[in-house]
Amino acid sequence: MIQSIADALSYTFMQNALIAGLLVSVACGIIGALVVVNRIVFISGGIAHAAYGGIGLGYLFKYNLLPTLMAGSAAALSDRPGYFPIAGAILFSLLSALAMGWVQRRTRQRTDTVIGVMWAIGMALGIVFVDLTQGYKVDLMSYLFGSILAVKRGELVVILILDLIIVGAVMLFYKELLALSFDETFATVQNVPVDAIYLLLLCMIALTVVMLMRVVGLILVIAMLTMPAAIAGRFVRDLKRMMALAVGLGLVFTTLGLWVSYAWNLTSGAAIILVSGSGYLLSLALKPWLSRI
Amino acid sequence: MNRTSSDAVITIEHLWAGYDRDTVLEDVSLTVHEHDFMGLIGPNGGGKTTLVKVLLGLLSPTRGRVRVMGVPPKKGRRYIGYVPQVVAFDRDFPVRVWDVVRMGRLGRRRLLQPYNAEDDAEVAEALSQVEMLRFKDRSIGALSGGQRQRVYIARALAAQPEILLLDEPTASVDPQVTTSIYELLQSLNAHMTIVMISHDVGAISSYVKTVGCLNRHLFYHEDDQLSPEMLELAYQCPIDLIAHGVPHRVLPEHGEHGSG
């Protein structure tokens, strides 16, 4: 077994996948904790699916902001299979997050209806954009179930930057985020700009979702955001510790999931989720013993 | 009672408020004086929560004028320590008592400005005032209803308010805990004004200084006497209420009514 792990680690794509798992776990744990305590799992799903519109747009224009930013070092990136239009996805998911937040805050419409509508429209736009794209057609499956084994070094840098943005923003606005999550009315009375903080939270969810889309895929984004955080929430009584524990659990799940997918030749995204799901069920079973300690 | 208008902490003049086309409060006028302990009672749907929202600047009046410490509610709410109802509470929320009470300091700290030693001192002071300091590291979900209510009062006190505004503070606690919360409020009343919303006619009236009935309109007489007429106007079913046992101090015998 040690030999097979050593073999696995000798592949660059495996190293990249492990680093991607680590980086994603950080954002997942922190944002996942906020998603779980705010009960906005559904809106996260909506943002994720609306972001697919951005991916379609990225293909349609065969234009990626990343190569221009990185001075042409990856100029030909968009012609290769496995190309991920991350700029389009980030832009679209941020816009959809802001739109959902705005609609939710400004109108008296039922929130879940609004999210459901945008969820469907975003996804449909993505598919139509891909239909309109000439030449190479994207494999939808790779976005539904992720392709962590195809993550490239340049993308790791982007994920790292997104991580830093998320960790920095949560640290800077932690007291407001905690107050908003715990008791929004009281936070409002204390003159906390709750609308702005809520939109900031949705934007951070959008960034996390874009990362997760690459790693575990659109369909499984919700599970990956919620499961480590939900497990952590059962064992701690402090939001910061919940975030830290969720990061740790995410790390264990992605690493273990990758190994499982390597050892049995399974789809990596699905393997990661099944490992997380087993962890979740285990935590339900272990809770009576662990809380007695 | 030589009260002047200068010691008024809350003034409401001909307030109309509601949601969309649905008017909940009609022509409500009220003055709350410094160091008053006012109880506002009324049936469910009578507009108690709407009045709280207006006072906190969460709902704009459709008509009328509201002043908190002489300024509109959105500015004046920083003088109000707000204690919400404890119903619909997520027991699993991972937060400690200390961090909850520290939220009362948010109004003093701007964005990007961390809590400091002064905040810690105020939080500790507020927690000892409600005798909850030894629970500071407990999870909020692990507390009983009465303890949680005390924590919410401490959170309001941490803001160093002029006015304490409580929405149904005893809605989900046992009778003996209710008594201890009212006694706590009575001692706090020595140095701050208290406005308390409740549907609990009996208990509220043994502790408050003035009492009003709210049911679309406000029936209010600036003393602690609830007249049967006020109750009848507010509830439109006075017999039922009396049958549930209202202390005689509040509801005078018909013969002694008016002698106060």
Side-chain angles (χ1 to χ4, degrees), chain B residues 30-80:
Chain B
L30 176 70
T31 305
V32 182
H33 298 278
E34 206 178 342
H35 298 303
D36 198 351
F37 187 166
M38 177 181 290
L40 286 175
I41 60 169
N44 288 330
K48 290 175 300 195
T49 303
T50 306
L51 186 63
V52 169
K53 283 187 181 169
V54 170
L55 287 175
L56 293 174
L58 301 173
L59 180 71
S60 301
T62 42
R63 258 191 272 171
R65 185 170 175 275
V66 178
R67 288 291 177 272
V68 177
M69 303 301 291
V71 291
K74 273 196 184 186
K75 280 186 180 170
R77 67 186 174 198
R78 63 197 193 91
Y79 302 106
I80 297 181

Side-chain angles (χ1 to χ4, degrees), chain B residues 131-142:
Chain B
E131 291 162 12
M132 286 295 290
L133 190 56
R134 68 202 163 94
F135 295 101
K136 69 184 174 70
D137 289 323
R138 285 277 186 91
S139 160
I140 190 86

Side-chain angles (χ1 to χ4, degrees), chain A residues 30-31 34 165-174 177 204 243:
Chain A
I30 294 172
I31 298 304
L34 287 166
I165 293 171
I166 285 166
V167 172
V170 170
M171 278 169 66
L172 287 174
F173 298 104
Y174 181 77
L177 285 166
M204 289 193 295
M243 290 172 173

Side-chain angles (χ1 to χ4, degrees), chain A residues 56-117:
Chain A
L57 204 64
Y59 277 102
L60 183 60
F61 288 100
K62 283 274 183 200
Y63 172 75
N64 195 345
L65 199 60
L66 187 62
T68 4
L69 282 178
M70 297 176 81
S73 64
L77 199 69
S78 64
D79 291 330
R80 280 187 240 141
Y83 153 71
F84 180 59
I86 199 162
I90 290 178
L91 192 75
F92 225 78
S93 63
L94 282 179
L95 283 178
S96 64
L98 289 172
M100 281 185 204
W102 189 82
V103 170
Q104 189 193 358
R105 293 259 155 181
R106 293 282 164 246
T107 71
R108 280 167 192 271
Q109 285 213 47
R110 287 166 195 229
T111 307
D112 56 348
T113 313
V114 175
I115 296 166
V117 167

Side-chain angles (χ1 to χ4, degrees), chain A residues 33 36-39 108 172-193 196-197 233-234 236-242, chain B residues 20 56 58 74 77-78 80 82 84 89-90 92-96 99-100 103-115 137-140 152 155-156 159:
Chain A
V36 167
V37 300
N38 276 288
R39 297 162 186 262
R108 280 167 192 271
L172 287 174
F173 298 104
Y174 181 77
K175 68 183 197 304
E176 286 80 15
L177 285 166
L178 177 65
L180 171 83
S181 311
F182 181 69
D183 186 343
E184 189 184 324
T185 309
F186 190 83
T188 311
V189 173
Q190 291 292 315
N191 292 316
V192 171
I197 296 291
R234 305 183 73 84
V236 296
R237 50 187 178 186
D238 180 307
L239 185 59
K240 271 183 195 158
R241 288 191 187 185
M242 182 174 171
Chain B
D20 295 328
L56 293 174
L58 301 173
K74 273 196 184 186
R77 67 186 174 198
R78 63 197 193 91
I80 297 181
Y82 170 52
F89 168 79
D90 178 9
D92 291 330
F93 197 100
V95 66
R96 291 164 197 274
D99 293 320
V100 171
M103 288 172 200
R105 302 297 299 169
L106 277 168
R108 309 259 166 172
R109 301 281 161 255
R110 268 168 290 159
L111 290 175
L112 307 178
Q113 202 179 13
Y115 294 119
D137 289 323
R138 285 277 186 91
S139 160
I140 190 86
Y152 285 171
R155 178 175 68 168

Side-chain angles (χ1 to χ4, degrees), chain A residues 19-20 22-24 26-27 86 151-168 211:
Chain A
I19 297 169
L22 182 137
L23 293 174
V24 161
V26 172
I86 199 162
V151 175
K152 284 178 274 304
R153 277 282 140 100
E155 288 171 327
L156 289 180
V157 174
V158 175
I159 299 179
L160 177 67
I161 293 169
L162 292 177
D163 256 354
L164 291 175
I165 293 171
I166 285 166
V167 172
M211 268 194 254

